[in-house]
Amino acid sequence: MTTTEKSDFIREIIDEDLRSNKNEGRVHTRFPPEPNGYLHIGHAKSICLNYGIARDYNGKFNLRFDDTNPEKEEQEYVDSIIEDVKWLGGDFEDRLFYASDYFEQMFQYAVDLIKKGKAYVCDFNGDEIRASRGTLTEAGKDSPYRNRSKEENLDLFSRMRKGEFPNGANTLRAKIDMASPNINLRDPIMYRIVHEGHHRQGEAWCIYPTYDWAHGLEDSIERITHSICTLEFENHRPLYDWFLENLEIYHPQQIEFARLNITYTILSKRKLLQLVREKHVDGWDDPRMPTIAGIKRRGYTADSIKVFCDKIGISKKDSTIDVAMLEWSIREDLNKNAQRAMAVLNPIKVVLTNYPENKTEELSAVNNPENESAGTRMVPFGRELYIDRDDFREVPPPKYYRLSPGTEVRLRYAYIIKCEKVIKDADGNLIELHCTYDPATKSGTETANRKVKSTIHWVNAAKAVDAEVRLYDRLFLKENPDEVEEGKDFLSNLNPNSLQVLKNCKLEPMLGQASPGDRFQFERTGYFCADVKDSKSGALVFNRIVTLKDTWAKIEQKGKK
Ligand code: ATP
Ligand code: MG
């Protein structure tokens, strides 16, 4: 018996199955995306769950494309999904499958059901099927085609396959019970006619299986033991079971869990597609998108996503996770692992009037205070520096301890400086600050002990590297983006300031070596990642992954009280 350290209701089911030797001790899960869009963080939860179970129980994990609907599926999505599953560590080894490869076998299974008198060809169109299905309180009505002979059904079904009928002319339906209290069992459709090329099968088929018919067959063919899906399929489970029981083939167990919802975030593929198509964002991998591609480009690590998925756990009840928790997970990771650096995003020039003209000093800076083995680096100091505009106020508000005329601050890893003079142009715009430095206050020396209230970051003006920095914020203004005024849709909740581009940023020289995808903490500012698409040596572009402000810790504290 294998039991894992983690426990949840799905693992309890598996433990019990192992105790009773239900599947000869096998554990085999799958992740079954439809290739009709990019994967998002909700799918990550499903991948981590399914792969995590296979890993922990020494079982197997399949990646299977549920590519049964030719109208919406594309190779681009297949490729991106494979990449994203691998990035998340979902190791399917050589088990990459396509439901469309099972079409012939599914067809044979349908023939079996017809021969058993449990499926029939119905000439109703979509409207007629809907109208005869009944409601939650009212039974449906039998189709007049329900009692066709097996021979007639076999003939019609094979002619459907041959393409003799146009789209919508008829369907193959399971013969179950039009009065079932579960509407899914009221003679559900198994095949529809769709004259449309398929991304893998080309023109081979013009009848396509429905999800309900196909999914259990796919699981059965692959000998999946535990078919884990989201709660909306709970009412479909009796149908899943009916098909497998009546075909008398290997019968996996469907288990449902609650899907992931996150505040300020849309996780509907249809709506994400709309954001891309209508260009509200810059593609599927826009760093504001909750897609794996977007999150990855933003700078999230795969580890942080896994930690997040672990921490939220699984349940049988729908709930919404605070986006602050996702942000917490990347901060946790990068706080431990990201190299620190100094970067001035909104520069103002500082001239140290008492510092020698051509002198540069190399000062030692800590690479990561959380990790001593990361060591130190040298940063060049000199007469002309940049500091952040926000670290200076000509008229300081109460309790403002950073730089203002006549006051002192410490420059991180360097000296205490005092603002002596504010230089402006004819229109009164701030051009630069003239300051003096106190040579006795060099960081790391004994005389550096003199205290001032505030320490700010800076870069050497002559040695700084230029960069564009993209400050990303939440894509939606509302906690629930689907909560809208009448007549409006979720787009009305888009945050118009979700991207702010700063073109004139000044970075410490070390950052000039950053490769695309490298992550840093810009001290006092946030965590940043060199953009994998647009950042090049000599034309650096950094994405803000997340600010330093951890709101999750506070939320968690409150919850505990
Ligand atoms: P649709 O079926 O409407 O195209 P989908 O998001 O369900 O959208 P699938 O490709 O069917 O897309 O999803 C693949 C798997 O991921 C399914 O098993 C599904 O249950 C799971 N999944 C999808 N969304 C979430 C979510 N928000 N949280 C957890 N699991 C999810
Ligand atoms: Mg789905």
Side-chain angles (χ1 to χ4, degrees):
M1 185 183 74
T2 323
T3 18
T4 60
E5 274 168 33
K6 248 181 270 166
S7 188
D8 53 54
F9 74 95
I10 296 180
R11 284 163 194 261
E12 278 166 22
I13 294 172
I14 294 174
D15 287 338
E16 186 50 43
D17 289 347
L18 289 174
R19 268 192 287 274
S20 65
N21 202 30
K22 184 173 167 194
N23 298 295
E24 307 89 39
R26 288 188 312 118
V27 174
H28 200 152
T29 59
R30 87 288 175 256
F31 175 65
E34 184 180 355
N36 62 352
Y38 278 60
L39 297 184
H40 56 59
I41 180 86
H43 298 115
K45 176 176 176 178
S46 177
I47 294 164
C48 290
L49 175 62
N50 280 292
Y51 172 69
I53 284 176
R55 181 199 54 212
D56 293 348
Y57 287 92
N58 296 317
K60 288 180 177 159
F61 167 76
N62 293 1
L63 173 59
R64 177 208 310 147
F65 286 102
D66 197 3
D67 55 347
T68 53
N69 178 358
E71 287 151 311
K72 293 183 184 162
E73 296 164 4
E74 286 174 31
Q75 189 60 37
E76 178 194 349
Y77 299 141
V78 169
D79 296 339
S80 73
I81 289 170
I82 293 174
E83 186 183 330
D84 292 347
V85 172
K86 285 187 176 163
W87 183 71
L88 281 168
D91 185 4
F92 48 86
E93 300 175 73
D94 58 351
R95 288 180 305 280
L96 169 61
F97 299 117
Y98 293 85
S100 56
D101 289 344
Y102 311 144
F103 280 173
E104 184 61 43
Q105 183 153 12
M106 290 178 187
F107 181 84
Q108 292 308 326
Y109 282 141
V111 168
D112 289 349
L113 272 196
I114 294 173
K115 287 181 180 163
K116 290 180 179 196
K118 289 177 178 173
Y120 63 97
V121 173
C122 179
D123 298 354
F124 269 171
N125 63 29
D127 288 340
E128 289 164 326
I129 289 184
R130 251 184 309 275
S132 61
R133 194 176 283 143
T135 63
L136 285 174
T137 51
E138 226 179 289
K141 286 196 194 73
D142 283 1
S143 158
Y145 308 101
R146 201 170 196 263
N147 293 315
R148 276 177 161 155
S149 69
K150 288 173 201 172
E151 292 69 32
E152 189 183 2
N153 281 320
L154 287 172
D155 174 57
L156 285 170
F157 187 46
S158 73
R159 286 166 60 198
M160 278 169 71
R161 175 181 182 167
K162 281 188 203 133
E164 286 187 23
F165 309 113
N167 286 354
N170 45 30
T171 57
L172 184 74
R173 298 175 70 178
K175 193 168 173 180
I176 309 181
D177 178 6
M178 287 307 290
S180 170
N182 183 337
I183 294 183
N184 294 310
L185 294 178
R186 294 183 189 169
D187 291 8
I189 297 174
M190 295 162 59
Y191 280 93
R192 298 160 292 130
I193 298 174
V194 186
H195 289 274
E196 177 117 27
H198 184 276
H199 75 112
R200 278 175 68 82
Q201 299 294 328
E203 307 299 321
W205 294 88
C206 63
I207 55 170
Y208 287 93
T210 55
Y211 176 92
D212 282 327
W213 164 242
H215 205 84
L217 303 183
E218 298 161 21
D219 288 338
S220 177
I221 290 167
E222 293 177 17
R223 300 189 72 76
I224 298 303
T225 55
H226 300 87
S227 172
I228 300 168
C229 62
T230 36
L231 275 183
E232 66 270 25
F233 293 104
E234 197 171 11
N235 290 330
H236 296 243
R237 183 168 10 108
L239 181 53
Y240 181 101
D241 291 338
W242 189 93
F243 282 132
L244 296 175
E245 267 159 35
N246 284 279
L247 286 166
E248 297 170 272
I249 57 175
Y250 174 73
H251 192 154
Q253 180 181 3
Q254 176 180 309
I255 306 171
E256 308 85 18
F257 73 102
R259 64 195 298 119
L260 172 64
N261 303 298
I262 305 182
T263 56
Y264 299 98
T265 306
I266 287 280
L267 292 182
S268 144
K269 274 198 215 164
R270 183 178 58 75
K271 288 177 186 159
L272 295 176
L273 179 64
Q274 191 181 348
L275 290 175
V276 173
R277 288 244 166 101
E278 295 176 5
K279 299 204 177 348
H280 301 289
V281 294
D282 186 20
W284 285 99
D285 65 351
D286 185 300
R288 292 165 292 184
M289 288 283 272
T291 51
I292 308 294
I295 289 172
K296 179 163 68 174
R297 183 169 170 201
R298 174 91 164 243
Y300 274 76
T301 59
D303 274 345
S304 69
I305 303 299
K306 288 184 237 174
V307 166
F308 171 73
C309 290
D310 259 359
K311 198 168 159 76
I312 58 181
I314 56 159
S315 89
K316 279 193 249 195
K317 251 179 68 197
D318 275 316
S319 67
T320 301
I321 302 293
D322 197 310
V323 70
M325 197 164 140
L326 181 62
E327 295 166 351
W328 168 89
S329 70
I330 185 66
R331 275 191 205 102
E332 274 282 296
D333 184 345
L334 295 182
N335 182 43
K336 280 186 224 116
N337 300 314
Q339 155 93 59
R340 271 50 169 177
M342 293 201 283
V344 174
L345 304 193
N346 292 297
I348 36 170
K349 172 96 51 91
V350 166
V351 179
L352 302 178
T353 52
N354 62 339
Y355 195 88
E357 289 270 355
N358 292 317
K359 183 173 168 181
T360 343
E361 273 175 276
E362 294 288 332
L363 303 176
S364 171
V366 173
N367 283 333
N368 185 347
E370 302 291 318
N371 175 6
E372 223 176 283
S373 69
T376 57
R377 67 185 184 285
M378 302 312 271
V379 285
F381 190 76
R383 181 179 158 92
E384 296 200 354
L385 311 170
Y386 291 112
I387 65 166
D388 205 283
R389 203 157 268 269
D390 196 45
D391 285 332
F392 172 78
R393 296 290 161 85
E394 193 162 10
V395 183
K399 300 213 171 143
Y400 185 85
Y401 297 122
R402 287 168 282 165
L403 205 58
S404 56
T407 69
E408 287 186 320
V409 290
R410 172 168 288 282
L411 297 179
R412 183 107 162 116
Y413 305 122
Y415 299 93
I416 291 176
I417 63 166
K418 181 175 182 185
C419 178
E420 309 282 357
K421 202 169 167 193
V422 180
I423 311 295
K424 294 181 176 176
D425 67 12
D427 299 328
N429 299 314
L430 181 60
I431 298 179
E432 60 188 30
L433 304 174
H434 285 183
C435 301
T436 50
Y437 86 113
D438 179 351
T441 58
K442 184 169 175 176
S443 284
T445 60
E446 269 178 30
T447 47
N449 285 335
R450 189 155 79 77
K451 287 265 185 317
V452 287
K453 282 221 159 102
S454 191
T455 300
I456 67 173
H457 62 281
W458 52 276
V459 297
N460 179 317
K463 312 245 167 173
V465 289
D466 294 319
E468 173 178 323
V469 172
R470 298 172 182 169
L471 300 180
Y472 293 104
D473 201 348
R474 289 171 184 162
L475 192 51
F476 291 95
L477 292 168
K478 278 239 178 89
E479 216 174 278
N480 174 4
D482 283 319
E483 191 186 296
V484 287
E485 288 166 35
E486 233 187 89
K488 295 199 169 160
D489 67 4
F490 75 108
L491 296 173
S492 64
N493 286 327
L494 274 170
N495 175 5
N497 301 315
S498 59
L499 170 58
Q500 193 191 346
V501 180
L502 304 174
K503 297 252 184 202
N504 185 31
C505 307
K506 303 288 183 183
L507 317 182
E508 72 165 270
M510 173 271 289
L511 287 169
Q513 311 301 315
S515 302
D518 284 354
R519 303 175 183 88
F520 301 89
Q521 184 194 94
F522 292 176
E523 292 205 27
R524 301 179 60 234
T525 310
Y527 292 101
F528 291 79
C529 178
D531 189 72
V532 285
K533 264 195 176 165
D534 298 338
S535 192
K536 297 178 193 55
S537 145
L540 296 169
V541 178
F542 280 90
N543 300 326
R544 180 168 72 196
I545 310 169
V546 71
T547 62
L548 294 176
K549 255 182 261 143
D550 182 10
T551 50
W552 176 246
K554 273 187 224 143
I555 296 166
E556 207 171 34
Q557 275 297 314
K558 248 192 275 167
K560 279 185 186 146
K561 270 181 203 155

